[in-house]
Amino acid sequence: MSTSSDQRLFQDVVSWVANCDPAGTALVQHDRTLDYGSLNRSANQVAHYLQSLGAGPESKIGISIGRSIDFVIAALGILKCGSAFVPVDPTYPELRQRFIAEDAGLQAVLYSGRGFGDAPDWPITTTHLESPEILVQPTSDLLLKTPDPQQLAYVIYTSGSTGVAKGVEVTRGNLRHLVDWHNGYFRVTSADRATLLINVGFDASVQELWPYLCMGATLFIPETEIVREPEMLRDWLLRKKITIIAAPSLLAEALMALPWPQDASLRCMLSGGDKLRVSPAPGSPFRLVNVYGPAECTVVATAGEVPPSGSTHRIPSIGRAITGVRIFLLNEDLQEVPPGSQGEICIAGAGVSRGYLNRPEMTAQRFMVRGDDGTRIYRSGDLGRLNDDGTIQFLGRMDEQVKIRGYRIECGEIEAALNTLPGVQTSAVVLLELPEGHNCLTAYIVAQPGVELSRDSLRDGLRSVLPEFMLPERFVRLPCMPVNENGKVSRRALPAVTEEMIIRSAERPTTQVETELMAILEKLLKVNQIELNDDFFLLGGHSFIANQVIARVRDHFGVELSLRTVFDHPTPAAMAQQVEERIAARPLTNRAYHRTVPETGANR
């Protein structure tokens, strides 16, 4: 990027909207459109209001708003007054939201009533984005001095190994570096049309949002049901003439498997968040860039284009270090390993954040100074290997942290929540790969004497403190937990799971349709045991599998379900009811169905 653009970008981290064409379209969501002039004025009102509360540099302001135009207005207003924004996902359990608010020491919270719940009931100033207190504020830009690059820009919370979530402190210098690299690497211009697909509580949304708005591009925000359905999302991308998107790895794989017209506007797809297993098909109209990076290093540390091949035989690499970042593959003594050898991925450079909010010991453990030159590195806990061509191959984790469906999860946090539940003596959570290739988050549990646990009570108890994506899929009963010579849980000694060990739901299938439909779902989802109230999509379901479900239901029960029906009724119980209603609606002479026994390993 040019020097003048470089100079403009750092100022843009604070007040970039003022430099964009006021008439240019900034944000589009459903039937709501906002130009840059309107966005700037609304954000300025938020900034003036927060300043009247005494907010300024290093103040932390919460945003209890989901992925939306309102979130962008709130976040921009917070940055404009010099403060840092802290996303507090309103869909999280109340206890988790309250913990983030208290741990971050929020000075105030902004919320919106556009389908994102009521005002949080916390003992801090809570203001609706369209309240009179904000709407009476001036729309003029605040006159603030250029921020210090070390000044806090945002805090993002990730799963914590100690049993509680931890906040990553990202500076304005970190954010500027991400914007600078992204816009240079992808040659972003004001003509680009990008997307915000990822939940704003996750760090990857930062890369979806700020680079494009810094360049005056247009950001489109699709509805949740569109994001969950790859075919629907592809059609939406084509209809909106989107030019560049970032998608979690599993979604990117599903999109790549679809047919695309050669004249598609989409020129680039970014993939990240999980191990990418496939390459684009030959003739794909867009390029695929695989990125890697933890929240502690401002979203992206490495990137590499994946050449088209359509192959699943060779796992694509995570590319090379991005501009301004250095990657070291180190052994336990923090010495570099030779090419081809396995080492911990350690990251240095402009993307490395301050560390963890209120966690000085954890910060000291993960953020270290290496060598005589005082290089500050972040120890990711990820394993990698240097390929012959200079790219890095991601190999997995060193510890109990896991990734499932793109989410980064500390098993220790789930264990800490489990151990507080009535009837649980101790627990161990691991990610197991089933014979069908499905990764299954599994909780081994030792119950207190005389207590009979059910899957329902365990999941309901966890649901009150953990987000849905952190809930184990299987619960396994153990008489005692295996330990090593140090008295710690020996994860390697955890036994293989048998059907008899699995803790079942108290609610069992009561109809023939429920039993047979659940067997069909188990086969297609490659899940060993499905319960009546499991969510099809949280078990890894997507539109391809949904279409297979529809076909199997047609063949097995002789009735037709629509794709919309599967999306609106995603649990086996609700889906079975839809099947039963369609069977009942047929003429009396045609209500019987040819019943075959679905292939399944489950015994009901």
Side-chain angles (χ1 to χ4, degrees), residues 50-51 54-61 78 81-84 107 151 172:
L50 293 174
Q51 191 179 58
E58 299 303 313
S59 296
K60 293 177 283 294
I61 309 297
I78 293 167
C81 81
S83 299
Q107 185 170 337
Q151 189 176 308
R172 293 185 178 246

Side-chain angles (χ1 to χ4, degrees), residues 63-66 88-92 94 97-98 109-122 126-129:
I63 309 178
S64 182
I65 305 173
V88 186
D89 191 330
T91 66
Y92 280 177
E94 170 62 25
Q97 293 183 52
R98 186 178 290 272
V109 176
L110 300 172
Y111 77 100
S112 166
R114 300 178 192 270
F116 294 108
D118 300 324
D121 184 21
W122 305 329
T126 304
T127 309
H128 192 288
L129 204 60

Side-chain angles (χ1 to χ4, degrees), residues 20 76 88 216 268 309 394 403 405 415 434 442 468 505 556 572:
C20 296
L76 178 59
V88 186
C268 188
S309 71
F394 179 81
K403 281 189 178 181
R405 295 188 292 276
E415 292 166 357
L434 301 182
T442 301
E468 199 74 24
S505 171
H556 188 75

